[in-house]
Amino acid sequence: MLKAVIMDFDGVIVDTEVVWFNIFHAWFKEKWNYDLTIEEFLVCVGSHPEELFNKLEKEYNIIIDRNQFVEETNHKFLDESKDLPLKEGVLEFLQSIKNENISLAIATSASRKKPMYHLTRLEILDYFDEIITSEDVEKIKPNPDLFNKAIEKLGITKEKAIIIEDSVNGLIAGNRADIQTIVCTNDVTKHSTFEKYFMKVDSLKEIDLEHIIKKFDESSDRYAIRCN
């Protein structure tokens, strides 16, 4: 039986990934006259940009001062994302989760300040039973620590939870945590190649929770039969 849903924040609840890509692209164009592609940017989504920076330094000799990059992009991100609306179908999905008495958590690679600001601003903070951020774990996605911590905080077993993620890094983390994962893409992550997911949609509006619960329970039953 489905007891909990664990949601990513960026790109699932508000569409911050598009904002970040535009900022990354503009920064590299201005500083290095380099046209960063979405495919290159995707390695950052759900995780941190170090892999991208290392690749650019190795392949194109684009040397990035990390402190400078953070200083010049974070303020711009805060300004451009401060009024972002909820993504399509989010509020209805949250309401349906609570109507079914299913626990709800956020597990995000971001620090606590960002999701708390947006959840409070958008008046949806009370829907969530737990909020797990990078400050609560040793390693962020694609490592499974965030999801393992969410399971611990919710006090349930992994077989009774499902994850909603928008990125490959998030999906990998979900699979490493051995928790079934729904992929919900956005305008950035729709360019990714996803494998080994429970279900894939383009919007939370597409999810019929009753169908998900039934499909999840059938899948859990089959898993139990295989393990016996």
Side-chain angles (χ1 to χ4, degrees), residues 198 215-227:
F198 177 76
K215 186 173 180 180
F216 180 86
D217 290 345
E218 289 173 351
S219 177
S220 297
D221 289 342
R222 289 195 296 271
Y223 177 79
I225 290 170
R226 288 199 303 270
C227 291

Side-chain angles (χ1 to χ4, degrees), residues 205-222:
K205 191 175 181 179
E206 298 176 22
I207 296 180
D208 180 339
L209 185 59
E210 291 185 4
H211 175 68
I212 292 294
I213 292 172
K214 181 179 178 181
K215 186 173 180 180
F216 180 86
D217 290 345
E218 289 173 351
S219 177
S220 297
D221 289 342
R222 289 195 296 271

Side-chain angles (χ1 to χ4, degrees), residues 22 41 53 55-56 63 70 75-76 81 90 122-123 126 128 140 150-151 154 165 170 198 204 225:
N22 290 335
F41 175 74
F53 293 167
K55 174 181 182 294
L56 294 176
I63 309 303
V70 169
H75 179 76
K76 190 172 181 64
S81 66
V90 171
L122 294 165
E123 299 183 347
D126 289 344
F128 295 93
I140 58 173
I151 290 293
L154 291 168
E165 267 288 352
F198 177 76
L204 288 177
I225 290 170

Side-chain angles (χ1 to χ4, degrees), residues 38-127:
I38 285 183
E39 288 73 20
E40 289 172 319
F41 175 74
L42 284 171
V43 301
C44 308
V45 179
S47 188
H48 46 67
E50 195 60 29
E51 184 177 346
L52 171 64
F53 293 167
N54 290 336
K55 174 181 182 294
L56 294 176
E57 289 176 348
K58 181 179 180 179
E59 295 184 9
Y60 303 106
N61 199 33
I62 295 176
I63 309 303
I64 299 136
D65 183 315
R66 272 60 166 174
N67 291 331
Q68 178 191 21
F69 180 86
V70 169
E71 182 179 341
E72 294 181 356
T73 60
N74 276 11
H75 179 76
K76 190 172 181 64
F77 171 78
L78 291 174
D79 184 61
E80 294 187 9
S81 66
K82 65 182 180 181
D83 297 320
L84 285 174
L86 286 172
K87 288 195 66 184
E88 179 185 47
V90 171
L91 183 59
E92 294 81 2
F93 182 74
L94 298 182
Q95 291 170 338
S96 66
I97 290 290
K98 286 307 177 184
N99 288 340
E100 294 289 341
N101 293 316
I102 295 172
S103 296
L104 189 59
I106 282 178
T108 173
S109 292
S111 59
R112 184 168 297 272
K113 181 179 179 180
K114 180 171 63 174
M116 290 300 293
Y117 166 76
H118 287 290
L119 296 175
T120 302
R121 173 180 67 84
L122 294 165
E123 299 183 347
I124 58 171
L125 180 61
D126 289 344
Y127 282 98

